[in-house]
Amino acid sequence: MAENEFRVLGPPGTGKTRYLIRQIEKAAEKHGADNIVVASYTRTAAATLIGRQATIPNENIGTLHALCYRSLGSPEIAEINAASFNEEYPASAISLASNGKMDEMAADAVFETEGDRHLATYNLYRAKCMDLALMPKSTIEWVKRWDLWKMRNKFIDFTDMIDIVRIIGDPLPGEPQIGIYDECQDFNRLEFR
């Protein structure tokens, strides 16, 4: 835990959300609402934390992925454009039906294609900050095609949103001084970094 990081822990019903709302209000008064980002697992949950008192700009509210996506200038998303990947690499195709699903890394996930399995493995290794060289060889070969295709088309994938901001150190929207992150117990290692 960083020196300037504070965590609020407690079981449901103990007032964590109410406490965070008070902290947001205090931070807005002290630092200005423009200098705060608020993230939760859904935009609605983040908006609930804002309350009526603090007028945090809309671009400073959302999921961690959305904040990072905005920080990167809202580039094209690879998974949304996967039909192009599938045309170029039909043997490596990912199912278009799975685009946008958050549970693709779940242990009980059902994969429609081998490409789905490779993408899920790649995302899992990155989320856990594991050595990518330890992935199965077939996944490593698939990733080479996926990353080359993304680079040529200037696309980023869902995990890139977090990873690129972490690597280049781009600030979140508004160059905030304060970040309030709800439900951090669900963050993976990459998101914590």
Side-chain angles (χ1 to χ4, degrees):
M1 190 161 93
E3 182 179 311
N4 58 353
E5 179 179 319
F6 303 93
R7 296 184 185 187
V8 179
L9 306 172
T14 57
K16 295 181 304 295
T17 300
R18 207 168 30 255
Y19 175 78
L20 286 177
I21 290 169
R22 282 196 311 274
Q23 297 311 305
I24 292 167
E25 291 168 355
K26 286 179 184 179
E29 287 174 18
K30 182 175 181 180
H31 300 283
D34 290 347
N35 296 315
I36 301 167
V37 293
V38 177
S40 192
Y41 259 65
T42 67
R43 181 168 173 59
T44 303
T48 298
L49 288 173
I50 297 303
R52 300 187 209 296
Q53 305 301 322
T55 55
I56 309 294
N58 281 338
E59 63 270 9
N60 291 24
I61 305 166
T63 64
L64 185 59
H65 282 89
L67 292 169
C68 290
Y69 175 71
R70 289 181 210 134
S71 175
L72 294 171
S74 305
E76 287 287 324
I77 300 172
E79 290 89 344
I80 292 173
N81 293 287
S84 164
F85 176 77
N86 293 348
E87 286 175 22
E88 193 168 335
Y89 301 103
S92 298
I94 63 172
S95 64
L96 300 178
S98 68
N99 287 346
K101 286 187 181 173
M102 297 292 292
D103 295 329
E104 71 271 2
M105 292 186 282
D108 60 351
V110 176
F111 302 110
E112 294 180 29
T113 69
E114 279 303 302
D116 292 346
R117 183 179 309 282
H118 293 309
L119 181 58
T121 300
Y122 184 37
N123 285 335
L124 181 64
Y125 271 69
R126 293 189 294 168
K128 291 183 169 186
C129 299
M130 296 171 62
D131 184 351
L132 300 180
L134 299 176
M135 291 186 301
K137 296 291 182 204
S138 60
T139 299
I140 291 171
E141 291 305 312
W142 183 91
V143 167
K144 288 177 186 175
R145 292 184 288 278
W146 178 251
D147 283 349
L148 177 64
W149 171 79
K150 287 189 309 180
M151 185 180 65
R152 276 197 323 261
N153 291 286
K154 297 184 174 127
F155 295 152
I156 65 168
D157 64 31
F158 192 67
T159 304
D160 288 335
M161 291 178 198
I162 305 290
D163 204 22
I164 292 170
V165 168
R166 179 192 64 82
I167 290 168
I168 62 177
D170 264 5
L172 294 177
E175 299 188 35
Q177 297 174 17
I178 304 288
I180 308 283
Y181 304 98
D182 189 27
E183 303 294 342
C184 290
Q185 76 275 5
D186 294 329
F187 278 13
N188 61 45
R189 181 173 280 172
L190 176 61
E191 291 166 337
F192 265 117
R193 286 185 175 176

